[in-house]
Amino acid sequence: MIISVIGSGYVGLVSGACFADFGHEVICVDKAAEKIEGLKRGQIPIFEPGLDELVKRNCDEGRLTFTTDLPSAVQKADVVFIAVGTPSRRGDGHADLSFVYDVSREIAASLDGFTVVVTKSTVPVGTGDEVERIIRETNPSAEFDVVSNPEFLREGAAIDDFKRPDRIVVGVTGERAREVMTEVYRPLYLNQSPILFTSRRSSELIKYAANAFLAMKITFINEIADLSEAVGADVQDVARGIGLDNRIGSKFLHAGPGYGGSCFPKDTLALVKTAQDNSSPVRLIETTCSINDQRKRSMSRKVQEAVGGNVRGKKIAILGLTFKPNTDDMRDSPALSIVQALQDKGAAVHAYDPEGMESAAELMNNVTFGTDAYEIAQDADALVIVTEWNAFRALDFTRLKSLMKTPVLVDLRNIYGRDELERHGFSYFCVGRPAQEIR
């Protein structure tokens, strides 16, 4: 099939490259000419493991092309995927659908023959109805169906998620579109990946409900972590104990500084706003959003306690800036709030991240960036692990102790054990485990 993907950001680029790898002919479209020219030269604008090789292979084999010419790409296509951004709208937190609606008008003007228009972007319930209305109003003679097909990609594991999905959700209004979408995903369907066909509105809500539930699960274990500290329990034991229950499951039960990224913060907020607009408030999700926002900044208090109650004039070294490992995405990263809170209290912040420092430099002021963990640890009063990159899982603590002014480690991801750190002469502070007196 010929597939056009409008928007060559994270979702659009990964989806387009994977569809091409299935054997479809894929045209990725973006208005940013500089980005498209870079992609043609093999320059990938995001960090995602394996994406550069996937793009190169399919470009070399002629199945994947890039262009700024939206009308031509739409005219050729059997299926057009909308994969543009839907950020939180300033002022009220609703999803900003202006890019989706603008692209819908452009698509409408270029449709040639029956075409399935698919919203891949994360959009509130009812957006597909509006996209259909816009296309019909712009081009009354167009033959088309509008389908909802939300993505469920984890940054850092997106290619594997696309090729080996838990499920494929497709919201349709007619049999013709269902047949086309079955053909689009036939390579996965033959491998028995479950395809769930629903109504369009159900599909749109599934995406938001899934992300909200996972965000709530993270927030739940973070609150249990605080309780564990207060009563002398170990949250990791608690998480294992409840995670072994198949009704609960072990995933997303890792205590830490709160969730961030491009999906959970904006999607939970958009669901809250949609629910309020429909007089059906989702109180659990409202509370989840509030707790998570407060938690990020509150993590600075752990650092403050670890260095004796006051960070003013002290050097704090931060390991990890992105919201999770294996990505360069800084959107709503806990590091942003933690660093700002430490600076507000007078700390001098030095930081290192394997992939995120270029993005971080645009968002953080007065932070000194280093080339590795050991450079930023020089003369530091505390070392703080914020993001659990693999590069931070086997640190040389003998070397670190010789470099640091005070051997204090604040492990906000619980990747180390207390015994190991104490053996190396460190004071160790973590999340959700019994407190330790400062030596």
Side-chain angles (χ1 to χ4, degrees):
M1 303 188 77
I2 299 177
I3 295 173
S4 290
V5 181
I6 314 301
S8 294
Y10 187 87
V11 172
L13 185 56
V14 171
S15 300
C18 288
F19 279 135
D21 215 42
F22 291 165
H24 298 303
E25 180 182 335
V26 179
I27 307 165
C28 285
V29 183
D30 203 284
K31 286 187 173 182
E34 185 177 341
K35 179 194 288 186
I36 291 296
E37 289 305 312
L39 285 165
K40 289 179 178 178
R41 295 191 299 269
Q43 297 174 354
I44 308 300
I46 58 173
F47 176 75
E48 177 64 33
L51 184 58
D52 50 353
E53 295 94 339
L54 189 69
V55 168
K56 183 180 187 305
R57 179 171 70 249
N58 284 282
C59 285
D60 290 346
E61 295 177 6
R63 292 189 298 269
L64 181 62
T65 57
F66 300 97
T67 184
T68 56
D69 187 353
L70 184 147
S72 175
V74 171
Q75 287 166 10
K76 295 175 183 176
D78 302 302
V79 184
V80 177
F81 282 85
I82 298 174
V84 297
T86 54
S88 292
R89 194 165 63 191
R90 286 187 179 180
D92 62 7
H94 282 278
D96 184 349
L97 298 175
S98 57
F99 300 115
V100 172
Y101 294 154
D102 289 346
V103 162
S104 298
R105 293 184 184 92
E106 293 183 65
I107 290 170
S110 304
L111 291 174
D112 184 11
F114 178 74
T115 308
V116 175
V117 179
V118 185
T119 52
K120 194 64 151 170
S121 304
T122 300
V123 295
V125 177
T127 301
D129 298 350
E130 182 65 10
V131 169
E132 181 177 338
R133 186 197 66 76
I134 289 170
I135 294 175
R136 210 169 292 287
E137 180 182 84
T138 305
N139 186 354
S141 63
E143 285 187 273
F144 70 98
D145 270 337
V146 175
V147 167
S148 167
N149 176 217
E151 54 84 17
F152 298 98
L153 306 179
R154 296 170 299 159
E155 293 189 41
I159 294 170
D160 192 61
D161 283 348
F162 197 99
K163 291 187 172 185
R164 299 171 185 83
D166 295 325
R167 79 290 201 199
I168 303 155
V169 177
V170 183
V172 296
T173 57
E175 189 59 32
R176 196 173 182 185
R178 178 178 177 138
E179 291 173 0
V180 170
M181 294 304 292
T182 299
E183 183 64 22
V184 167
Y185 283 108
R186 185 169 58 86
L188 293 179
Y189 189 69
L190 293 174
N191 290 332
Q192 298 185 329
S193 295
I195 300 183
L196 174 64
F197 285 98
T198 71
S199 70
R200 198 162 58 200
R201 285 189 167 224
S202 293
S203 174
E204 291 168 340
L205 185 54
I206 284 168
K207 169 65 176 181
Y208 278 108
N211 278 355
F213 186 87
L214 295 175
M216 187 171 61
K217 199 172 179 183
I218 293 169
T219 303
F220 170 81
I221 201 62
N222 283 339
E223 290 218 299
I224 294 298
D226 292 345
L227 178 59
S228 295
E229 288 186 22
V231 301
D234 186 327
V235 72
Q236 290 184 306
D237 290 339
V238 175
R240 290 190 196 100
I242 64 176
L244 288 169
D245 186 329
N246 290 331
R247 297 168 300 174
I248 297 173
S250 61
K251 293 183 178 179
F252 290 84
L253 287 179
H254 301 288
Y259 61 78
S262 61
C263 294
F264 287 3
K266 76 177 182 68
D267 291 354
T268 49
L269 186 56
L271 180 61
V272 165
K273 297 300 180 180
T274 297
Q276 290 172 348
D277 284 354
N278 286 275
S279 301
S280 183
V282 283
R283 300 298 190 202
L284 280 171
I285 310 307
E286 290 177 13
T287 303
T288 294
C289 294
S290 176
I291 293 169
N292 191 66
D293 286 344
Q294 295 168 24
R295 183 171 188 80
K296 294 177 187 178
R297 191 172 174 91
S298 73
M299 289 293 102
S300 68
R301 291 198 290 272
K302 281 193 171 292
V303 181
Q304 185 170 315
E305 292 164 6
V307 296
N310 189 356
V311 296
R312 185 164 300 280
K314 294 184 177 179
K315 175 180 176 179
I316 307 299
I318 303 290
L319 288 182
L321 298 170
T322 54
F323 85 96
K324 63 181 288 188
N326 296 322
T327 180
D328 59 354
D329 197 339
M330 285 293 301
R331 284 174 286 186
D332 280 293
S333 170
L336 294 170
S337 298
I338 293 168
V339 167
Q340 186 62 64
L342 290 171
Q343 290 177 328
D344 290 346
K345 294 170 182 173
V349 176
H350 292 236
Y352 169 70
D353 187 281
E355 293 291 339
M357 289 192 293
E358 185 176 340
S359 299
E362 298 176 2
L363 301 170
M364 294 177 167
N365 296 319
N366 303 316
V367 173
T368 302
F369 297 100
T371 57
D372 60 29
Y374 304 99
E375 180 183 335
I376 66 167
Q378 182 74 48
D379 297 323
D381 293 280
L383 186 67
V384 184
I385 298 175
V386 178
T387 311
E388 67 276 32
W389 285 89
N390 284 337
F392 305 150
R393 291 181 180 273
L395 295 170
D396 183 341
F397 288 107
T398 301
R399 182 181 176 189
L400 283 171
K401 186 180 180 186
S402 70
L403 293 170
M404 294 177 67
K405 182 177 180 181
T406 311
V408 172
L409 179 70
V410 183
D411 182 3
L412 298 182
R413 297 291 181 173
N414 290 346
I415 63 177
Y416 286 101
R418 184 182 307 284
D419 291 346
E420 179 183 6
L421 270 295
E422 290 182 344
R423 208 165 45 241
H424 285 92
F426 274 77
S427 294
Y428 179 70
F429 299 83
C430 53
V431 176
R433 288 188 271 181
Q436 170 195 338
E437 293 295 326
I438 299 173
R439 294 177 177 176

